[in-house]
Amino acid sequence: MASNAAVPFWRSAGMTYITYSNLCANLVRQCLKEPYKTEALSREKVHFSLSKFVDGNPQKPVIRSDSPTE
Amino acid sequence: MLRQASRLLTRSIAATQQPIKVVGARPMSTDLPATPVEDSAFVESWNKVAPNIDPPRTPSAFMKPRPPTPSTIPSKITVNFVLPYASELSNMEVDMVIIPATSGQMGVMPGHVPSIAELKPGVLSVHEGNDVKKYFLSGGFAFVHANSVADIVAVDAVPIDHIDENLVQKGLADFNLKLSSATTELEKAEAQIGVYVHSALNSALAG
């Protein structure tokens, strides 16, 4: 798969290197044995606190947890 | 005239004595001058503005400079292996590392040509005597410096024995199915990456 073309296949499909490398890393994490798998996946979790502003006042914040897996 | 002569005589002695003194004070050629840790121009201008306050410590004072390139090739290569969340190997002296570069497996030994390599998903093996440590890297970059120092930067890396073989087989089958049913180019590329990573994992477990 390591082609000698000027552009790798994922680049010509519109992916950036960051997208590609994160996708690869995520696939590797998915294939781990159990104690390590949950540890690796929880390390990549991101938490957001979102609150919309209406008329200059913040509304009730919503906690959103994103993990790289969909 | 005689009075003049004595004055000339003392002057000539003084003149000849001066260089001798300088030669004596000169350091040996093997003594390296101490490298300035701080930017002298910065310290000077700082003292002009704030003579009562010590100049702040700058990154050039914190960071140790790279060791110079030795004239003879050392017997060991120094490896720094870094992940976003951990420093796996730091300044470790080993015999050889085999790096999974996109252009093929790259064995790096002391005195390797300085190079930068993009890494593909594959096995990084660290050879130290009879010990071989194997990691599976998901991708990243490797920098080999002229002074026999190699920096390996990866997005994620796991020891080989942490990989579950059943999950790898299942993932490989799943992504092969996805590849055949993919419609858009992006979907196809994603499935292709999936197949690629899983077959790399598979061959890492086999080999």
Side-chain angles (χ1 to χ4, degrees):
Chain A
M1 195 83 79
S3 65
N4 293 318
V7 169
F9 69 92
W10 44 266
R11 192 78 191 90
S12 51
M15 271 187 216
T16 58
Y17 182 75
I18 294 289
T19 319
Y20 162 72
S21 57
N22 282 337
L23 205 65
C24 284
N26 207 23
L27 291 169
V28 172
R29 280 178 212 123
Q30 295 291 332
C31 287
L32 291 178
K33 282 177 190 163
E34 209 20 86
Y36 311 110
K37 188 177 171 179
T38 36
E39 190 195 323
L41 289 177
S42 64
R43 196 166 44 215
E44 291 302 310
K45 261 190 190 143
V46 182
H47 300 282
F48 296 97
S49 174
L50 287 175
S51 51
K52 283 190 175 161
F53 277 67
V54 174
D55 299 327
N57 295 315
Q59 304 298 297
K60 202 173 180 293
V62 183
I63 306 278
R64 216 181 99 183
S65 296
D66 280 11
S67 58
T69 42
E70 49 281 293
Chain B
M1 201 192 151
L2 228 105
R3 198 179 61 208
Q4 287 287 342
S6 76
R7 193 178 67 91
L8 280 170
L9 205 69
T10 49
R11 194 183 67 176
S12 72
I13 287 166
T16 49
Q17 263 174 354
Q18 201 74 35
I20 290 164
K21 237 193 231 161
V22 169
V23 165
R26 225 158 88 188
M28 300 283 282
S29 62
T30 47
D31 294 338
L32 278 174
T35 41
V37 269
E38 272 177 335
D39 186 0
S40 60
F42 170 75
V43 173
E44 214 171 273
S45 44
W46 175 275
N47 284 335
K48 242 180 253 170
V49 179
N52 298 329
I53 305 170
D54 284 343
R57 300 192 63 203
T58 49
S60 55
F62 294 134
M63 290 169 78
K64 260 195 277 173
R66 283 265 176 199
T69 309
S71 53
T72 53
I73 294 170
S75 60
K76 300 262 180 176
I77 182 159
T78 310
V79 178
N80 297 304
F81 176 27
V82 197
L83 301 177
Y85 51 88
S87 168
E88 286 284 331
L89 306 175
S90 142
N91 271 330
M92 199 170 141
E93 300 208 321
V94 297
D95 294 323
M96 177 173 73
V97 280
I98 298 177
I99 294 167
T102 44
S103 52
Q105 296 291 106
M106 202 168 106
V108 179
M109 290 172 85
H112 193 275
V113 196
S115 48
I116 298 177
E118 186 192 334
L119 308 180
K120 64 179 178 186
V123 179
L124 165 79
S125 42
V126 181
H127 296 248
E128 166 68 70
N130 290 325
D131 281 2
V132 181
K133 242 195 222 168
K134 285 187 174 183
Y135 297 92
F136 189 88
L137 308 190
S138 73
F141 284 91
F143 306 88
V144 183
H145 305 284
N147 52 7
S148 295
V149 174
D151 295 326
I152 303 163
V153 187
V155 182
D156 208 339
V158 290
I160 294 280
D161 53 335
H162 288 189
I163 299 168
D164 191 327
E165 203 173 343
N166 299 327
L167 286 174
V168 175
Q169 295 299 343
K170 195 174 152 284
L172 190 58
D174 278 0
F175 277 102
N176 269 320
L177 206 70
K178 267 188 201 166
L179 186 60
S180 56
S181 66
T183 45
T184 64
E185 207 179 336
L186 189 67
E187 264 176 38
K188 208 178 146 201
E190 272 171 9
Q192 217 170 334
I193 291 168
V195 172
Y196 184 37
V197 172
H198 284 96
S199 41
L201 280 163
N202 211 3
S203 56
L205 287 174

